[in-house]
Amino acid sequence: AATRAALEAAFREACRDRDLTCNAIGWDPLDDSLVDPWNGRRDLADRRLAAVDVATFGDDPLRLLRVARFRAALGAEVD
């Protein structure tokens, strides 16, 4: 069986492919809690859109449009 630390590391690695930190927040059904390895909740509270890894934007150009949509909807600054 996988250890808790191994599961958390796997989730963090899976989130690396997300575009923004606010999109890299997950829910742990085992203890009914949010998992936020890239501080997406803090960024949302600060009204900041921050990339997990800017290299992912080259993988999918539509990600830039999503950032623009989030910026307009949330009134957030792009970091």
Side-chain angles (χ1 to χ4, degrees), residues 21-22 25 36-50 79:
T21 59
C22 62
I25 302 169
D36 187 9
W38 300 98
N39 298 312
R41 294 187 324 171
R42 182 193 64 208
D43 289 342
L44 283 173
D46 293 343
R47 298 180 103 45
R48 179 176 52 235
L49 299 173
D79 191 22

Side-chain angles (χ1 to χ4, degrees), residues 4-53:
R4 179 75 177 183
L7 291 172
E8 288 175 3
F11 181 75
R12 181 178 174 84
E13 187 59 33
C15 287
R16 186 179 301 278
D17 293 333
R18 304 298 297 181
D19 49 5
L20 299 169
T21 59
C22 62
N23 289 331
I25 302 169
W27 175 65
D28 182 342
L30 297 178
D31 62 7
D32 193 29
S33 66
L34 291 176
V35 181
D36 187 9
W38 300 98
N39 298 312
R41 294 187 324 171
R42 182 193 64 208
D43 289 342
L44 283 173
D46 293 343
R47 298 180 103 45
R48 179 176 52 235
L49 299 173
V52 171
D53 181 355

